[in-house]
């Protein structure tokens, strides 16, 4: 039986994976940046640099550590699908973005795999709606 552990953090998503027999940790930055499609150069750059991305009608949404590097390079702000430990209210595609990042970390699983993950608890020093995030 395969057992994996997943921590969904505001800054990073971390996977504990023991499929190979040895415990390994994989980390991906939980962030994204929009890249305007333009003339085709943007897609070529994303593919050649191995940047995970989601394609939209007018833009590409670059994901993870590579997106963080691109944001820095282009002088853009890396956006986050989470804030204060829960899904970011102002990011409409937060769930989709996180799903793609998580899938890239986990890869294909067998039917007998078990995934353990954490959910947020009540906020000690703030008013955060955790019901939606827990679901």
């Amino acid at each position: 039986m395969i057992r994996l552990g997943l921590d969904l953090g505001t800054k990073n998503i971390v996977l504990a994976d023991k499929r190979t027999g040895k415990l390994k940790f994989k980390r991906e930055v939980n962030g994204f940046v929009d890249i305007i499609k333009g003339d085709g150069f943007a897609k070529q750059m994303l593919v050649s640099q191995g940047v995970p991305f989601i394609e939209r009608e007018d833009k590409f949404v670059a994901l993870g550590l590579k997106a963080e590097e691109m944001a820095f390079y282009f002088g853009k702000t890396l956006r986050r699908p989470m804030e204060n430990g829960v899904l970011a209210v102002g990011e409409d595609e937060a769930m989709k973005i996180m799903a793609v990042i998580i899938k890239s970390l986990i890869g294909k699983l067998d039917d007998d795999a078990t995934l353990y993950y954490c959910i947020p608890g009540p906020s000690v020093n703030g008013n955060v709606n955790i019901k939606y995030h827990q679901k």
Side-chain angles (χ1 to χ4, degrees):
M1 175 184 273
I2 297 170
R3 293 188 181 112
L4 305 165
L6 188 67
D7 178 31
L8 304 170
T10 301
K11 167 114 173 80
N12 295 298
I13 297 175
V14 180
L15 176 71
D17 187 342
K18 200 173 180 180
R19 283 180 271 194
T20 61
K22 183 178 178 185
L23 183 61
K24 293 183 179 181
F25 294 93
K26 291 168 61 177
R27 176 186 71 89
E28 185 59 89
V29 170
N30 194 6
F32 65 100
V33 65
D34 294 334
I35 308 291
I36 297 172
K37 273 193 173 179
D39 59 4
F41 173 74
K43 185 171 187 174
Q44 180 183 1
M45 178 184 63
L46 291 169
V47 171
S48 70
Q49 295 298 311
V51 180
F53 65 91
I54 301 169
E55 188 169 353
R56 295 291 176 243
E57 190 174 311
D58 59 339
K59 66 183 177 183
F60 298 104
V61 182
L63 307 169
L65 177 62
K66 299 272 188 170
E68 185 175 53
E69 292 168 0
M70 292 183 81
F72 178 74
Y73 180 78
F74 290 117
K76 293 186 166 201
T77 300
L78 183 73
R79 294 166 47 201
R80 303 251 180 225
M82 291 179 62
E83 63 185 2
N84 300 318
V86 297
L87 289 172
V89 176
E91 296 296 349
D92 295 336
E93 293 190 282
M95 188 77 76
K96 170 72 174 173
I97 288 165
M98 289 183 60
V100 173
I101 293 171
I102 291 166
K103 188 174 181 179
S104 74
L105 274 173
I106 294 175
K108 184 166 174 47
L109 293 176
D110 296 330
D111 290 337
D112 68 340
T114 302
L115 177 65
Y116 296 93
Y117 57 92
C118 58
I119 58 173
S123 178
V124 174
N125 52 346
N127 186 15
V128 178
N129 181 0
I130 61 170
K131 297 288 186 202
Y132 176 74
H133 188 81
Q134 287 177 338
K135 289 180 184 178

